[in-house]
Amino acid sequence: MSAISARPSHAAQPSGSAFILKKALISAAVALVLFSLMIGVRTEAGPQGGLIYWTRFGDLAALVGTVFGGSIIIELLRQWWGPVDKEHIVPKPVQAAMSFAGRWLAPALLVFAFLVPVIFYNQRYILDLSILVLTYVMLGWGLNVVVGLAGLLDLGYVAFYAVGAYSYALLATNFGLSFWVCLPLAGILAAFWGVLLGFPVLRLRGDYLAIVTLAFGEIIRLVIINWQSLTGGPNGVSGIPRPTLFGIPLDNSDDGLAARLGIDFSPTHRIVFLFYLILAMALLTNWVTIRLRRLPIGRAWEALREDEVACRALGINVTTTKLTAFATGAMFGGFAGAFFATRQGFISPESFTFQESALVLAIVVLGGMGSQLGVALAALTMIGGFELFRGFDQYRMLVFGIAMVLLMIWRPRGLIGHRAPTVFLERNQAISSDLVKEGHG
Amino acid sequence: MSGDPILTVDHLMMRFGGIVAVNELSFAAERRKITALIGPNGAGKTTVFNCITGFYRPSGGAIRLTDDVGRTMQLERLGDFRITKQAKVARTFQNIRLFPGMTALENLMVAQHNALMRASGLTLLGLIGTPSWRAAEERAIELARTWLDRVGLLPRADDAAGNLAYGDQRRLEIARAMCTEPVLLCLDEPAAGLNARESGGLNELLLSIRNDQGTSILLIEHDMSVVMEISDHVVVMDYGVKIAEGTPQAVRDDPKVIAAYLGADEEEAIAVMESGT
């Protein structure tokens, strides 16, 4: 099959120094044309309003030279690595490494996550950052159900995050309901909106589905901005109650947790509590998703991603299967939203822009669609990595973007692209990513 | 027709815009028999299949299925997935439609979706992992294992379906259809792309499905060795209408069939028909 047909084409690939030189020259020529106007000539409005310009041929030459040299290095590296094998079966060493990583990386990360508040107790910044990362891990795991398992591209996931956040904020501020009562309500409401979104998009596929979900996300945000009497419009909702440890507040009052335990009050207690709260919620999401994958509904989601027509021929109700995927994903988004509201104490529509949807989707895609560990690693990379690049100041976005591009070239199907089977008779072997479909809407 | 028909197609019409793909087609498939639907390319065979299995809604006519306990269902009114779920009609596709990124075993587990959904209490019991769910899952795996064994794919149970050889994929698709426990199995060109040895194996498999499972089979096929050897009844279509039906021998000798297959050149047609037996 294609594993066999791929080889001759690699063998036919030229590899001489003339080929490398030619390729580098072409790259350099393209760079010269591109940069001669962008870098070579600089124009500006002069003091009298006239156009003045000056040339920077030195910079131009340096850039073209870099492209030339870089092209040679890349080509040499490519030949040193050898052809990218299109083996349908994951190669043995990779499989061994993967299974080793799968066995130890996840538990190691979990243990580390539990210890974060102990290790970094006095570093508020790291604690806040870990809470943020975990929030995105949870959102990623939630969206993973829709995008990774069911293969439905959802660009409006932030809508459910917003529904969850506003559900908690409004129920708590207007009716004084506690966080623990509102949490399931926020999830149910978000799931309800998920089903509502699901209905009109059932017949849509691919790009069309993406556009409608994108619009849905925007509609929710615009409704929140404009429905001033309920949501406070652009001013948002403030004074959202902080979560309590089953009724015991975490403040410095007489019946606060610190006073009851007889220890000195510290604002860090609340941060640590929030950390474990989001950790527990994320792990619940993970556990439910892992269980669902092994249940008929989860298998039906994945089958739907693989081939919708075949699903219908097997008597699977495609409509309800899609709706349950939307609802499940939305419910986790709603939980995360409620947590976000209680953590911030203040929410406004600004927190629920398309940027957030794109970020969560990027986490899912980068992690490897359908992989729980991959999504967690991707959230850590995206959110943590973005903070790591803080030192680059205004180049932060640029460096981050380049890093993302390189990562996607290195692993086009995400950090963990292979698929683990949900049931096996004898061998639990991973399925290579080039067999697994991405879904088409 | 006499006997005990499981499927009765009655004056089936299917129009696509101005084109009449199937015109007033009537035939019956008998219980526990293998009925073949043959005809030249473009005769409308797959359209008939798509009407029976709910992928198309017929423009006219009726498709009735009488199951083994005597319930009669109007398939054209059921539509879509309900035909497999309630009327227990399963199908395979001309171009194989497996779930390539799932293992062979998983493919067969997906086929048991409806039974497993009930067993998992619409997911809730399964989420908690009650013993009743675990037992049901064990049974489902056992059924899948049985079918993998019958199509000779047990050693490849944990391999991705997309990694299997073409002939194996064909057999896996039949096994997957059988895992829905159908009363009527519709096969769209099951022997397409198989070599002589493989299609011989296919014949044995289909005969054992009919004899051991008691499943009625309706198949579209071009491979005359399959049609002539295993079918009990043959229906011949051309340009959307039925031109002949009867036993394989009777159909093979029918001049109308020969003419339809190879234009008017009967000499050549006879040669083709005979090469198949």
Side-chain angles (χ1 to χ4, degrees):
Chain A
M1 289 171 53
S2 72
I4 298 154
S5 64
R7 273 200 193 102
S9 72
H10 285 307
Q13 212 170 61
S15 56
S17 55
F19 167 76
I20 297 174
L21 216 61
K22 190 177 142 204
K23 207 163 174 184
L25 275 173
I26 292 172
S27 306
V30 171
L32 180 69
V33 171
L34 268 179
F35 293 132
S36 58
L37 286 178
M38 286 163 65
I39 310 242
V41 183
R42 168 129 184 131
T43 54
E44 226 168 64
Q48 266 78 47
L51 188 72
I52 56 165
Y53 73 95
W54 64 94
T55 53
R56 296 185 295 191
F57 290 133
D59 293 357
L60 179 64
L63 248 165
V64 172
T66 313
V67 169
F68 183 75
S71 176
I72 290 176
I73 290 168
I74 285 173
E75 198 54 41
L76 282 175
L77 277 178
R78 204 179 267 167
Q79 282 175 15
W80 178 58
W81 268 325
V84 184
D85 242 345
K86 288 282 279 179
E87 283 285 301
H88 275 189
I89 300 160
V90 183
K92 277 278 177 300
V94 176
Q95 213 166 40
M98 284 296 178
S99 72
F100 180 80
R103 209 168 303 140
W104 294 110
L105 186 58
L109 272 179
L110 187 65
V111 169
F112 177 72
F114 271 105
L115 292 178
V116 161
V118 181
I119 302 169
F120 302 106
Y121 185 77
N122 289 323
Q123 284 158 288
R124 174 80 192 258
Y125 169 71
I126 291 187
L127 282 181
D128 276 336
L129 182 62
S130 342
I131 291 176
L132 192 67
V133 168
L134 281 174
T135 313
Y136 280 99
V137 168
M138 182 167 176
L139 283 171
W141 277 340
L143 185 62
N144 196 24
V145 171
V146 186
V147 179
L149 295 185
L152 303 160
L153 185 54
D154 185 353
L155 288 180
Y157 192 61
V158 78
F160 310 122
Y161 191 40
V163 168
Y166 271 88
S167 301
Y168 170 59
L170 295 176
L171 287 171
T173 50
N174 291 335
F175 304 106
L177 295 178
S178 87
F179 177 74
W180 298 102
V181 175
C182 289
L183 188 65
L185 285 177
I188 290 167
L189 280 168
F192 169 73
W193 283 99
V195 172
L196 224 58
L197 164 69
F199 268 112
V201 302
L202 278 173
R203 288 173 190 286
L204 303 176
R205 283 166 172 241
D207 309 348
Y208 305 99
L209 175 75
I211 290 169
V212 174
T213 52
L214 171 67
F216 183 78
E218 286 302 288
I219 288 170
I220 292 275
R221 192 173 63 89
L222 291 173
V223 166
I224 290 171
I225 290 179
N226 289 296
W227 196 353
Q228 293 230 359
S229 57
L230 180 75
T231 64
N235 301 328
V237 183
S238 53
I240 302 167
R242 301 297 187 168
T244 55
L245 186 65
F246 302 105
I248 308 169
L250 292 140
D251 53 16
N252 58 356
S253 61
D254 285 344
D255 52 355
L257 184 70
R260 286 190 189 205
L261 290 178
I263 51 174
D264 287 334
F265 172 77
S266 152
T268 316
H269 291 164
R270 193 168 50 89
I271 306 296
V272 170
F273 173 69
L274 283 173
F275 178 89
Y276 281 119
L277 178 60
I278 187 66
L279 183 63
M281 282 164 63
L283 288 178
L284 179 76
T285 310
N286 186 30
W287 180 78
V288 169
T289 313
I290 289 174
R291 287 302 291 237
L292 284 178
R293 263 196 83 207
R294 291 178 188 159
L295 288 172
I297 187 71
R299 285 204 197 100
W301 288 339
E302 290 201 82
L304 198 66
R305 178 192 67 202
E306 298 282 320
D307 194 329
E308 192 177 326
V309 172
C311 280
R312 282 171 57 188
L314 293 175
I316 295 175
N317 187 341
V318 174
T319 308
T320 51
T321 307
K322 278 188 182 175
L323 287 181
T324 48
F326 267 116
T328 311
M331 182 181 74
F332 292 133
F335 288 152
F339 173 81
F340 176 76
T342 192
R343 180 203 165 199
Q344 298 291 96
F346 164 77
I347 52 168
S348 75
E350 275 165 51
S351 308
F352 308 106
T353 55
F354 172 65
Q355 178 100 37
E356 296 295 309
S357 290
L359 185 60
V360 178
L361 186 67
I363 287 172
V364 174
V365 173
L366 182 70
M369 301 211 290
S371 164
Q372 297 294 99
L373 179 60
V375 167
L377 288 175
L380 195 63
T381 319
M382 294 280 280
I383 311 299
F386 199 60
E387 290 299 312
L388 213 63
F389 291 138
R390 216 171 251 288
F392 290 101
D393 295 329
Q394 73 259 44
Y395 297 111
R396 184 159 77 142
M397 264 315 207
L398 191 71
V399 173
F400 187 65
I402 291 171
M404 285 292 116
V405 169
L406 289 179
L407 210 53
M408 286 325 277
I409 290 173
W410 174 54
R411 304 223 64 143
R413 291 295 297 259
L415 291 174
I416 297 184
H418 65 90
R419 177 179 174 272
T422 58
V423 62
F424 59 92
L425 286 182
E426 257 120 42
R427 289 161 296 143
N428 186 6
Q429 59 183 10
I431 297 166
S432 164
S433 59
D434 40 352
L435 284 173
V436 181
K437 296 266 173 73
E438 284 143 337
H440 35 63
Chain B
M1 274 203 46
S2 59
D4 174 21
I6 184 162
L7 180 83
T8 319
V9 175
D10 197 9
H11 294 96
L12 181 70
M13 286 286 284
M14 186 69 214
R15 285 190 215 93
F16 296 104
I19 298 160
V20 181
V22 179
N23 193 2
E24 300 276 325
L25 179 79
S26 301
F27 72 92
E30 284 198 57
R31 195 176 307 281
R32 287 162 204 266
K33 291 280 163 64
I34 297 178
T35 308
L37 189 60
I38 65 169
N41 283 329
K45 306 180 297 287
T46 300
T47 308
V48 173
F49 254 50
N50 282 341
C51 289
I52 293 171
T53 53
F55 280 84
Y56 295 155
R57 193 162 281 264
S59 321
I63 305 167
R64 271 188 303 278
L65 182 111
T66 312
D67 68 10
D68 294 346
V69 292
R71 282 185 309 160
T72 298
M73 275 161 282
Q74 299 277 78
L75 294 192
E76 80 279 5
R77 289 187 197 158
L78 276 181
D80 206 20
F81 69 94
R82 285 181 201 85
I83 288 181
T84 311
K85 192 179 176 183
Q86 289 162 21
K88 295 280 174 196
V89 177
R91 76 168 289 178
T92 65
F93 294 86
Q94 198 171 343
N95 43 351
I96 305 168
R97 280 186 173 273
L98 287 168
F99 305 119
M102 301 175 92
T103 64
L105 178 66
E106 281 180 303
N107 268 273
L108 302 194
M109 295 297 279
V110 173
Q112 303 177 56
H113 178 79
N114 287 317
L116 285 174
M117 271 309 257
R118 271 192 304 279
S120 71
L122 298 173
T123 307
L124 289 177
L125 293 179
L127 207 55
I128 311 162
T130 58
S132 68
W133 156 250
R134 289 214 196 101
E137 197 183 25
E138 278 303 315
R139 277 198 304 278
I141 293 174
E142 217 36 61
L143 179 68
R145 188 202 291 271
T146 311
W147 274 106
L148 284 169
D149 195 25
R150 281 188 66 174
V151 298
L153 288 173
L154 196 53
R156 314 237 22 208
D158 299 323
D159 286 332
N163 260 343
L164 298 179
Y166 188 82
D168 292 349
Q169 293 197 4
R170 282 248 173 248
R171 289 205 308 284
L172 181 61
E173 204 189 12
I174 295 172
R176 190 180 66 177
M178 286 308 294
C179 276
T180 64
E181 308 200 294
V183 293
L184 176 67
L185 177 65
C186 299
L187 304 168
D188 197 346
E189 298 201 18
L194 301 187
N195 61 31
R197 196 173 51 83
E198 284 173 325
S199 69
L202 177 76
N203 285 355
E204 274 171 38
L205 174 65
L206 296 187
L207 286 173
S208 88
I209 286 174
R210 182 193 65 182
N211 298 338
D212 304 344
Q213 254 66 40
T215 305
S216 318
I217 297 176
L218 178 66
L219 65 102
I220 293 178
E221 193 45 77
H222 278 302
D223 187 335
M224 285 302 151
S225 69
V226 174
V227 173
M228 294 298 151
E229 220 166 278
I230 64 166
S231 49
D232 302 300
H233 188 76
V234 180
V235 177
V236 192
M237 279 182 79
D238 194 17
Y239 293 110
V241 295
K242 182 174 77 182
I243 57 169
E245 73 175 308
T247 60
Q249 282 72 29
V251 164
R252 191 179 57 188
D253 301 332
D254 192 321
K256 269 197 288 184
V257 176
I258 296 164
Y261 255 86
L262 281 164
D265 193 349
E266 292 190 13
E267 293 287 303
E268 213 178 321
I270 290 165
V272 168
M273 288 294 184
E274 275 173 358
S275 74
T277 55

